[in-house]
Amino acid sequence: MVKNFSASGLTGLCPDEAYSSIQSACEDIRLLLLDPERFLYHDELKAAPGNSDHAKTPLRIPKNKLYGREKEISIISDSFCRVATTGVCEAFLIRGWSGCGKSSLVATTFEPIRVAGGYVVSRKFEEISSVNPVWTVMAAFNDLCILIKERNSDEELLEIQDELIRVFGINLPKLVRILPNAKDIFSTQASTLHLYQKVDSELTFKGLCFAIQCFMSVISAKSRPIMIFLDDLQWADNMALGLIHAALSDASKITSIFFVGGYRNNEIQEDHAIFSFIDNLESYQIGTTKLDLDGMEEQDVNMMISDALAVFPRNCRALSSALFQKTRGNPLFVIELLESLVKRKIIQYSLRKRRWVWDDAEVSGEEIAENVLHLLTTKMT
């Protein structure tokens, strides 16, 4: 850094890495002060076989770090706070291409919501699964039972138990049949008296929806705001989405549920159940926020590349610009392409310079690797 600063204009020359202004130097100093570890390699670096200068070292791709999503995080957090404050249920739907960071975006809000007193459950639908999609929704409610058990005192659990017994009556065994973890909410005495009575009748889908509505009318409250995140809604069906709608639509009894769903809008047809689901939410006047998640902005790609290569953002702007143009800023594809360039030794770590090196012109003119091209063409068209 000192070398780059001293080379700035003193001899009339301006090397590529030299500072063009005091402001540029201040920006780098600020980054060093905020996160010095970001620019240091503590691991012993050894030369790659047959090459005395280039080292074989992995990229430093940060996990669980989002770039340029502050506005979206704020919108989700504000929506949850509104539900927790008013007690009115809401839905929040996030759509975008595969790899744009829908799941990571929502996951970023989990811990702050927990700290704020919220109960967070998360599940995802699978494209190929032997399990009926409706049971993915049921699994989320089943997970909620565990949270209720863990986060409430014995006195609070007793109140919940008594209310469930009052609401379900002789049908209480049906609740345990569809939500096995619900039995842990009850005391041993209550379990003996109510939970293991014989149940003769089969449970229809209508009966399932009613049971979940009854359960959530007891569990959900302004003192227990609940966030349910279901990912990959493109693999959900009418019944699964209908069950979610049932849990949100009984406004006279159910409060403080914040439903968040993510789906790939480029992988669904016009007749997909998600559209009728959205129409039903709106017809029941359930507040619904729709968020389109696009690729990162170029400056955010620049920060991601800066982190991955442990260099100052100003030193990888041309590289970042090339990757941005080739991937449209999709986070997954940026990482895939960057790893592809390293694998093909277009980007290498130099032991002599103690940093990653590359040729901007070579990167710009490089054809996208076949595996990355496949991702781009199948997911972004």
Side-chain angles (χ1 to χ4, degrees):
M1 184 175 181
V2 174
K3 179 182 177 181
N4 292 340
F5 190 72
S6 63
S8 300
L10 295 181
T11 61
L13 300 176
C14 190
D16 291 340
E17 296 183 12
Y19 290 108
S20 58
S21 67
I22 293 295
Q23 182 180 354
S24 295
C26 290
E27 289 174 354
D28 286 356
I29 292 173
R30 179 175 176 274
L31 289 174
L32 284 172
L33 291 173
L34 290 175
D35 189 9
E37 295 291 325
R38 171 180 171 186
F39 303 100
L40 298 175
Y41 275 92
H42 294 295
D43 299 332
E44 183 180 356
L45 300 174
K46 297 181 179 179
N51 194 319
S52 59
D53 181 38
H54 293 141
K56 187 176 182 181
T57 183
L59 291 166
R60 286 183 166 186
I61 298 175
K63 294 182 179 179
N64 304 321
K65 181 175 181 179
L66 298 184
Y67 296 86
R69 302 300 195 195
E70 292 80 9
K71 179 181 177 182
E72 290 82 359
I73 292 173
S74 179
I75 293 173
I76 297 173
S77 299
D78 290 348
S79 297
F80 171 79
C81 290
R82 188 167 54 246
V83 170
T85 303
T86 65
V88 179
C89 299
E90 289 190 26
F92 197 107
L93 299 173
I94 305 173
R95 56 193 180 190
W97 289 320
S98 173
C100 69
K102 299 181 295 296
S103 305
S104 299
L105 171 64
V106 180
T108 303
T109 68
F110 288 172
E111 188 56 30
I113 286 176
R114 291 189 185 104
V115 171
Y119 291 65
V120 180
V121 290
S122 175
R123 287 277 175 165
K124 67 180 297 183
F125 295 96
E126 302 290 344
E127 179 180 9
I128 302 175
S129 174
S130 58
V131 179
N132 189 310
V134 76
W135 293 111
T136 297
V137 184
M138 295 302 297
F141 290 119
N142 200 36
D143 293 342
L144 180 59
C145 296
I146 298 175
L147 293 182
I148 296 299
K149 171 68 174 177
E150 291 176 346
R151 294 181 51 181
N152 287 272
S153 66
D154 291 340
E155 291 183 358
E156 290 169 330
L157 288 174
L158 185 59
E159 292 178 2
I160 294 172
Q161 166 193 295
D162 291 345
E163 186 63 14
L164 285 172
I165 291 173
R166 185 191 70 79
V167 170
F168 279 89
I170 61 172
N171 292 314
L172 193 60
K174 291 182 179 180
L175 174 64
V176 177
R177 190 173 72 179
I178 62 175
L179 300 177
N181 291 333
K183 68 180 184 297
D184 295 329
I185 298 175
F186 295 86
S187 66
T188 304
Q189 182 179 5
S191 298
T192 303
L193 293 175
H194 299 282
L195 299 184
Y196 298 107
Q197 298 176 15
K198 186 176 180 180
V199 181
D200 296 323
S201 60
E202 290 296 324
L203 193 66
T204 63
F205 178 67
K206 183 177 180 180
L208 179 65
C209 291
F210 181 70
I212 291 299
Q213 286 179 327
C214 291
F215 174 70
M216 294 305 292
S217 69
V218 175
I219 298 301
S220 63
K222 289 180 70 173
S223 60
R224 287 190 297 271
I226 296 166
M227 176 180 180
I228 301 173
F229 174 46
L230 295 178
D231 201 6
D232 286 334
L233 291 180
Q234 70 272 8
W235 309 128
D237 61 9
N238 275 308
M239 289 182 65
L241 295 174
L243 183 56
I244 298 168
H245 179 265
L248 295 171
S249 61
D250 193 0
S252 62
K253 299 178 181 178
I254 300 174
T255 62
S256 305
I257 298 179
F258 181 48
F259 170 71
V260 181
Y263 66 98
R264 304 172 192 172
N265 57 329
N266 63 314
E267 295 188 23
I268 56 176
Q269 304 298 321
E270 293 181 357
D271 59 348
H272 193 279
I274 188 71
F275 297 112
S276 58
F277 171 66
I278 295 172
D279 289 341
N280 288 335
L281 289 175
E282 293 175 346
S283 66
Y284 274 75
Q285 297 184 331
I286 298 170
T288 304
T289 302
K290 288 171 257 185
L291 175 66
D292 290 306
L293 197 62
D294 298 318
M296 299 181 292
E297 298 293 335
E298 187 169 337
Q299 63 267 26
D300 300 318
V301 174
N302 184 219
M303 291 303 295
M304 175 185 277
I305 302 302
S306 169
D307 281 347
L309 300 181
V311 298
F312 292 121
R314 66 185 182 86
N315 292 335
C316 60
R317 283 200 181 98
L319 172 64
S320 302
S321 180
L323 268 60
F324 173 78
Q325 296 300 327
K326 293 176 185 291
T327 64
R328 302 182 195 174
N330 184 292
L332 174 63
F333 303 148
V334 170
I335 293 172
E336 289 281 346
L337 182 53
L338 186 63
E339 290 180 337
S340 172
L341 293 172
V342 171
K343 185 177 181 180
R344 288 180 288 150
K345 299 181 179 179
I346 296 170
I347 298 176
Q348 300 186 76
Y349 190 87
S350 170
L351 286 171
R352 181 173 57 84
K353 294 185 177 181
R354 301 293 293 179
R355 54 159 289 179
W356 291 90
V357 295
W358 62 89
D359 181 87
D360 290 327
E362 184 179 5
V363 172
S364 296
E366 183 66 23
E367 295 291 334
I368 300 177
E370 184 176 348
N371 61 325
V372 181
L373 181 63
H374 175 71
L375 279 173
L376 294 172
T377 56
T378 55
K379 302 299 184 183
M380 302 182 73
T381 57

